[in-house]
Structures are given as C-alpha cells and as structure tokens.
Amino acid sequence: MAAKLNAKGQEHQAEMYYPNQSIKDNANVKDYDELYKRSIEDREGFWAEEAEKLDWFQKWDKVLDDSEKPFYKWFTGGKINIVHNAIDRHLQTWRRNKLALIWEGEPGDVATYSYHALDREVSKFANVLKSMGVRKGEIVTIYMPQVPELMIAMLACAKIGAAHSVVYGGFSVEALAERIQDAQSRVLVTADGGWRRGKIVDLKKIANEAIGRSATIEVCITVQRTGQEVYMENDRDFWYHELMNLPIANAKCATEEMDAEDMLFILYTSGTTGRPKGVLHTHGGYSVYTATTHRYVFDIKEEDRWWCAADPGWITGHSYIVYAPLINGATVMMYEGAPNHPYPNRWWQMIEKYGISILYTSPTAIRGLMRFGDQWPRRHDLSSLRLLGSVGEPINPEAWRWYYKVVGNERCPIMDTWWQTETGGFVITPLPVTPLKPGSATKPFFGHEVAVVDDDGNEVKTGEEGKLVLKGPWPGMARTIYGDPERYKEVYWKDYEKQGWYKAGDSARIDEDGYVWIIGRIDDVIKVSGYRLGTAEVESALVSHADVSEAATIALPHELKGNAIHAYVILRAGLSGNKELEAALKDHVGKEIGPIARPETVTFVESLPKTRSGKIMRRVLKARAMGVDEGDLSTLEE
Ligand code: WTA
C-alpha cells in the first residue's frame, strides 16, 4: 500500500482496503455502481421497491409529492405504523421467539426480550399511556438512561400514534425544560437515575427541576432503576412498575393506523441559534429509509447480533438502535454505561460474551479505547465480528487503522457513515463491498446525489474544500422543524433555493476517485465527542450566570473528543476573573445543559471581536487561539 502524495500532500488518500471474498459473497448488494445508477435514474421506482418490503395497511398513491417544496412528502395516501413493522409483523413468524433485545446494565445486570416479550411490554405501556389520556398527535417527552424501558416507551408512543421527544439523559435542567416547553408535553417519562462510571446520574432530580421551569407537565412516570430515594409528588408522579402491574396495563393493544406523513417523533438538535430545533420525522418515509440503509450498509442477516453503541437519546440511537434493526428483525444489543467501566475491556468482554457480529460506534469512543492499548481487545475473542461502523464526526486515519487492525483483525470492513439528525439515516457511506480509504465516508447511498460547491452553487475543483449539498429529496429527510417551518426553509434550503439543494452545514472535499471526505461543520454547531451542541446554547448558559455579561464560544481540535469547547467571557462591571470563577462557570454550564457542554477553558476578556453590526466574530477568536492567519478583518469593528 504505497503512500502516494497528491498535490495537497494528503498521503492517506492513496491507501485502500478491499473486502475479502466472504464479505463479497455474502453482501446484500454485490454491485454498488449498478444499483446506484438505477436509483438515480429512477429514484421513485427505487424507493417504491424498497417500500414494498414493509407492511402497509394501505398502499400509497404517490411515492413523492414535491408540490410544496421544500416540504416534500413521501408515500402519500399510504397507511402504516412503524411499530407494526418493527414488532407486530414479526409475531406472525418464527421471529416471535427470536431475541429482539439483549440489554446489559453497567453494574452487570442483564435483561433479554424476545419479539413476543417486547410486544407485551410495549402494549402494556401503550395502554398505560392511553389511561393517562395520551392521544394521537400528542408529544410525550422521554428522559431516561439507556435501559430497555426507554425503547419500550418510544415504541409505545408510536404504537398509539403519539409522537415522542426523547431528550438525551446526559442533558440537564435547562436543556430538558426548554424541550418540554417547546413540545408542550403533558406527559414525561423518566427514571429515578441511571448508572455511569459507577455513579448515579440523578435523572429524577433534574426532571423535577425541569418540570418546575416548564408549565405543561401534568403526569410524570418514573422507572425505578437505581432504587435511590427521589421526590415524588402526589397526583403528578407515578412509578412505572406500579402502573405496569395494574389491570389497565393489558398486554394487548391495537396498533394505530397512521398516515405515512403523520409525525413519528421530534428530536431536538442544536443549530446556529440558542433555541434547539425540533427535527420532525414521520412514520412512512422514515421507516423505509432507516430499514433500507441499515439492511444494505450493514448487510443485515437473520443471525446477526447488532450493537449500535450510541445513546437512544440521539438520532443514531433512534434510527439504528430502535427502529431500523427491529424493522429488519435483528437482535439488538444495548448497554447502559461507560465503555471503560470497571475496566477498559468492558466492550470487548460483551462482544465476546454475546457474540456480537456488528459494532457501530463513534470515533471518540474508538480513540478513547485505543488509548488503553492493544492488550485490552487482544485479550478477548472478537472473532464473531463481521462488520464495524463509525459515525458522528470524521474518523482520523490513525483511529481507523487501529479499529480495523486490532478490533476487526483486518477482516471487518468499516462503514464510516455520514449523516445527520435531519437526514434520518445514512447518506454518504460505504457498503461492505466498497474499497475503503481510512477517513473517507466514501460515496453516496442509493438515491442520493451529493456535491461540494461554493456559495454560488458551482462545484469546486476535485480535491478542493467546499460546502456539502444533497441534490434531491429522500424518504428519511426531516419534514420540518416542529412549530417553525420558516426556520426549516431558512436553515437548510435558502442558500441553494434556486437549485433546490439541501445544505448540510458541513464542509467537505471529493477526491479524484469520487470519494467524499468530510471536514467538519461550517456553522456554529460544535461536535464534542460526536455529540452535537450549539455555540449559542453554551453562550446563553454562560450569560445566565449572574457574573457574566457577555460570552463567546468556539471549538478547538481535541485529541480525544474531536473538538472541545472554549469560552471567552466578559464579566459584569467591577468583577474580575479568577480560578474559582472559572470553575464555577464550567459547573454552571454543566448544570444547565449537561456535562458534555462544559467548556474546556474559560478565558476572561475585556472585549470580544465583533462586526460593525454587533455579531461576534468567532472565526477571529478561533484563528487567534490556533495562532493562524485571522483572514479578512474588514468587517471587524475597532
Ligand atoms: C457530523 C449524527 C464525519 C457532521 C448522525 C454532521 C460526521 C453532524 C459523520 C450531524 C461522519 C456525522 N464523518 N462527520 N461519518 N457523521 N458527522 O445530527 O458534521 O448529531 O453534520 O447526527 O455530525 O450530527 P447529528
């Protein structure tokens, strides 16, 4: 594998890894180019054929309705429910007794559910929700650790036609309160706590505070996970296990027939303003898109044991822990806690113990585990692994090679999947048969045309950096931002309105082989350990502290986390910064948003670089911090 330098001196582009014969022989798609060509020439035909693989209560009239661009609709006239596809239809086959879920808690407790058992739990909880007055179209907020009840609660909502809004269990009071408020949720499902690195995360305590800050919650259902004492309010708070033991929790519950375009969930994600956006997905298109991408990219087979080591509280968990694998009838692995607790072999131990065949995780996790050395994975029999996956941020070639060599023993291709909350599922990704270049997400999935362009929409030259756009609609695309369709248009579609392209918000380049290399975000979104945060969210948490008058945050490269947040703060008049205040501000952000948002450093400054119109020039702060050229400063105010 001779390293060849291209014009820009990027040597790793010449490094290629080819799949072995058994991967090729077993691949669900043997010829990418052929199917890709078909999917572009007849996009609707391609998606219709994929949609036929699901169960519909009523077939669609139209595959794609583009009469109200950019508000595309898919499979209009069709009736479906994602839960019917993820559970009900399997009950008619031998899959009824197949394991749907293997779950391990951080302390080592284990629970397993067959499809039959999962159906019973989901139906019971669906009936509980109904008894609490939950109706079709209503949004239930779920704030939980990674326990089976999280999956059960999501499926129970979808089954009865309610939408869920899952708030990541690592978020804190303000983040949760804001999301409850925006969704106007009446019902909150949470847990007394969860386990993380041997410690309890106090979810119920945070939930109680958040309920206090948002006026809409009438009912809070709490799963008992840790058994610690928590405050429960009469008439508002109920224990999950008590409700599930009442006669009302009948194990039979009809699955609601939904319009293809009915809301399945909203998931809040960070954007360029302080207010998080509720990205909305629907029953029909999302079912088709997630199931198809999962089946083709990870070559799902009946005997697979699939482990997506994300948190169900983010899109990766929604699409690829819960919905796609269950639709495809796979056995899903879910683990509650930290990868290195109690020892750095925790994951490898579970792969061996459960015979996991596909592991899908983030570059941050890989880098974190790599740091502990080869001896930890080497000590375990990882021969059950067939494929590996990566998501959330660009994977550096060094981590890629370690993952490939030490974890996959040079047998398992790595599916580096680029996608977003808004895309619902994979967009740029290899298939198992794709020759791989470490660090490149390779090529567009079926039905997608992607390009790297300048501000006017002209394609940049091969190998040059530009903005990533997706040229056409796909079934898994977000339908809108909940309650704010204008913002949906503005954020994703306005820049390339003439062409009708979707702006991803990432910069990328495409090399001479047509391989896409994602560089990173070009807006004010920061990816910390693969988690998506907004500079504005962190800034507004900082200014909510009594001592702070103004704040700016930027992302700087970090060896493990990919990026880390650095804050610049102007204090109120008369105050001066010191070590204690720096620590207090970090804690404050942790308490308001969550530990992942804690700034790496807080620097006290007298002023911030601004444009004449008063916008903070974060790019100038970043250039200064990195010691590089500050670029065009003509708009900078003195
Ligand atoms: C980044 C996560 C490089 C990207 C599924 C995108 C990636 C943002 C990759 C979306 C990848 C995701 N390589 N970058 N394989 N996957 N990203 O909404 O910047 O949490 O825009 O969705 O993550 O983050 P989100």
Side-chain angles (χ1 to χ4, degrees):
M1 217 154 295
K4 201 174 66 189
L5 292 184
N6 71 5
K8 289 186 124 185
Q10 288 142 343
E11 62 163 332
H12 50 265
Q13 289 200 356
E15 189 180 338
M16 274 274 200
Y17 292 78
Y18 296 90
N20 63 33
Q21 200 56 43
S22 100
I23 296 278
K24 285 201 261 186
D25 290 345
N26 288 311
N28 286 345
V29 177
K30 303 238 175 351
D31 188 339
Y32 164 81
D33 293 326
E34 184 189 292
L35 191 53
Y36 180 72
K37 190 158 168 275
R38 235 212 73 205
S39 75
I40 297 303
E41 284 168 1
D42 178 16
R43 191 165 50 203
E44 290 177 41
F46 171 80
W47 286 116
E49 200 169 292
E50 292 305 325
E52 300 271 8
K53 296 174 185 165
L54 300 186
D55 256 18
W56 296 76
F57 299 121
Q58 184 182 304
K59 202 178 157 175
W60 57 89
D61 304 323
K62 213 168 167 15
V63 176
L64 173 64
D65 173 356
D66 59 2
S67 57
E68 288 168 64
K69 287 178 197 167
F71 299 98
Y72 295 91
K73 297 191 186 97
W74 286 84
F75 308 110
T76 47
K79 294 229 178 254
I80 191 170
N81 188 307
I82 199 165
V83 177
H84 175 80
N85 284 283
I87 301 179
D88 306 3
R89 64 171 179 156
H90 304 315
L91 306 177
Q92 312 308 321
T93 71
W94 68 271
R95 279 188 187 152
R96 178 183 195 85
N97 295 323
K98 180 177 177 176
L99 282 186
L101 176 65
I102 303 171
W103 173 83
E104 190 167 308
E106 197 187 73
D109 43 342
V110 175
T112 56
Y113 296 79
S114 64
Y115 276 90
H116 168 75
L118 184 63
D119 174 56
R120 286 180 59 85
E121 295 305 305
V122 169
S123 296
K124 287 174 74 173
F125 195 56
N127 281 320
V128 166
L129 289 175
K130 276 188 176 173
S131 77
M132 295 291 178
V134 174
R135 295 281 167 264
K136 199 169 168 171
E138 160 172 357
I139 304 171
V140 173
T141 297
I142 301 176
Y143 178 62
M144 283 170 90
Q146 291 196 55
V147 291
E149 289 83 356
L150 170 51
M151 182 189 267
I152 291 165
M154 290 166 72
L155 292 162
C157 288
K159 187 176 176 72
I160 60 173
H164 52 73
S165 162
V166 178
V167 179
Y168 166 58
F171 275 136
S172 200
V173 184
E174 185 54 28
L176 176 59
E178 230 174 33
R179 286 159 175 76
I180 290 174
Q181 191 72 38
D182 189 76
Q184 295 282 299
S185 278
R186 220 170 42 76
V187 176
L188 173 67
V189 187
T190 186
D192 56 354
W195 292 102
R196 189 81 193 173
R197 278 202 186 84
K199 290 204 197 80
I200 288 176
V201 186
D202 274 327
L203 293 174
K204 178 61 175 149
K205 197 168 151 231
I206 294 169
N208 283 343
E209 271 189 59
I211 294 172
R213 288 194 204 178
S214 47
T216 56
I217 297 294
E218 292 164 18
V219 171
C220 177
I221 302 173
T222 304
V223 172
Q224 198 166 44
R225 167 72 188 125
T226 58
Q228 63 181 328
E229 184 118 14
V230 294
Y231 172 75
M232 301 280 279
E233 195 165 291
N234 271 343
D235 301 332
R236 183 194 77 187
D237 282 319
F238 302 86
W239 285 107
Y240 179 92
H241 61 278
E242 289 181 6
L243 295 172
M244 292 289 269
N245 273 327
L246 297 176
I248 188 78
N250 191 313
K252 291 243 175 306
C253 176
T255 300
E256 194 73 29
E257 295 192 6
M258 307 296 286
D259 286 336
E261 283 292 309
D262 275 341
M263 168 165 67
L264 168 62
F265 65 82
I266 55 173
L267 182 59
Y268 287 92
T269 188
S270 302
T272 43
T273 72
R275 227 156 27 88
K277 321 177 267 206
V279 172
L280 190 150
H281 286 285
T282 57
H283 273 262
Y286 179 82
S287 298
V288 174
Y289 193 71
T290 53
T292 306
T293 47
H294 185 239
R295 183 162 9 89
Y296 287 150
V297 173
F298 282 102
D299 236 352
I300 296 302
K301 298 290 182 318
E302 202 62 76
E303 59 276 19
D304 271 323
R305 289 199 158 175
W306 160 258
W307 185 10
C308 166
D311 191 293
W314 299 86
I315 192 66
T316 307
H318 279 56
S319 300
Y320 299 110
I321 297 178
V322 181
Y323 290 115
L326 294 180
I327 295 174
N328 288 328
T331 295
V332 175
M333 167 76 200
M334 183 168 156
Y335 165 60
E336 178 186 28
N340 55 347
H341 188 85
Y343 302 108
N345 67 338
R346 183 63 190 263
W347 275 19
W348 318 127
Q349 208 173 32
M350 288 189 289
I351 289 171
E352 179 173 353
K353 177 175 171 193
Y354 299 111
I356 301 298
S357 52
I358 311 171
L359 173 67
Y360 181 43
T361 185
S362 67
T364 291
I366 298 161
R367 287 191 292 262
L369 291 164
M370 179 168 98
R371 197 175 46 140
F372 295 112
D374 298 5
Q375 71 274 20
W376 293 99
R378 293 253 193 250
R379 177 179 298 179
H380 294 272
D381 176 5
L382 304 180
S383 60
S384 58
L385 287 173
R386 188 165 65 77
L387 286 170
L388 299 170
S390 172
V391 61
E393 45 183 321
I395 180 165
N396 48 312
E398 194 196 357
W400 194 101
R401 287 183 206 108
W402 185 82
Y403 196 29
Y404 185 77
K405 292 197 171 120
V406 181
V407 180
N409 207 7
E410 306 190 26
R411 283 183 301 107
C412 311
I414 298 173
M415 303 297 105
D416 178 358
T417 60
W418 177 90
W419 58 296
Q420 308 177 302
T421 307
E422 294 86 344
T423 69
F426 315 145
V427 174
I428 302 172
T429 173
L431 300 181
V433 294
T434 308
L436 303 171
K437 302 186 187 191
S440 169
T442 75
K443 300 202 172 177
F445 187 72
F446 305 123
H448 278 287
E449 287 175 284
V450 309
V452 172
V453 300
D454 63 19
D455 287 336
D456 301 321
N458 306 310
E459 287 197 23
V460 302
K461 290 204 194 80
T462 301
E464 275 182 14
E465 184 173 344
K467 294 178 174 174
L468 180 66
V469 294
L470 312 186
K471 288 188 170 176
W474 63 101
M477 65 199 302
R479 296 301 189 264
T480 188
I481 291 173
Y482 182 70
D484 202 349
E486 276 310 308
R487 196 166 165 210
Y488 175 75
K489 275 207 258 186
E490 160 95 28
V491 175
Y492 307 107
W493 303 95
K494 207 184 103 213
D495 287 11
Y496 301 102
E497 197 174 358
K498 228 176 39 225
Q499 298 89 342
W501 296 342
Y502 169 92
K503 181 186 77 173
D506 278 24
S507 62
R509 54 193 166 80
I510 299 181
D511 72 15
E512 53 282 0
D513 297 322
Y515 277 48
V516 182
W517 298 76
I518 304 292
I519 297 161
R521 299 291 308 190
I522 35 178
D523 51 12
D524 297 321
V525 170
I526 306 184
K527 278 275 173 158
V528 182
S529 303
Y531 296 123
R532 182 162 160 181
L533 291 164
T535 49
E537 278 169 281
V538 183
E539 288 160 7
S540 82
L542 283 165
V543 277
S544 75
H545 189 280
D547 295 349
V548 175
S549 92
E550 248 189 292
T553 55
I554 56 166
L556 293 178
H558 186 278
E559 212 182 315
L560 275 183
K561 302 178 188 174
N563 291 294
I565 299 174
H566 294 263
Y568 297 83
V569 161
I570 304 177
L571 294 173
R572 290 198 189 278
L575 296 176
S576 58
N578 54 42
K579 279 267 167 261
E580 286 75 49
L581 188 54
E582 184 181 342
L585 291 179
K586 289 183 190 175
D587 288 346
H588 179 73
V589 175
K591 178 155 189 303
E592 289 295 304
I593 306 179
I596 49 164
R598 265 178 78 99
E600 200 77 4
T601 62
V602 176
T603 309
F604 299 102
V605 294
E606 296 295 323
S607 68
L608 290 166
K610 283 187 189 163
T611 61
R612 271 171 227 113
S613 57
K615 271 179 79 173
I616 295 174
M617 295 179 80
R618 296 190 187 83
R619 123 186 117 72
V620 173
L621 285 171
K622 187 163 175 169
R624 282 179 194 163
M626 296 182 66
V628 298
D629 180 28
E630 294 175 11
D632 178 12
L633 294 180
S634 56
T635 56
L636 185 73
E637 193 194 40
E638 269 324 297

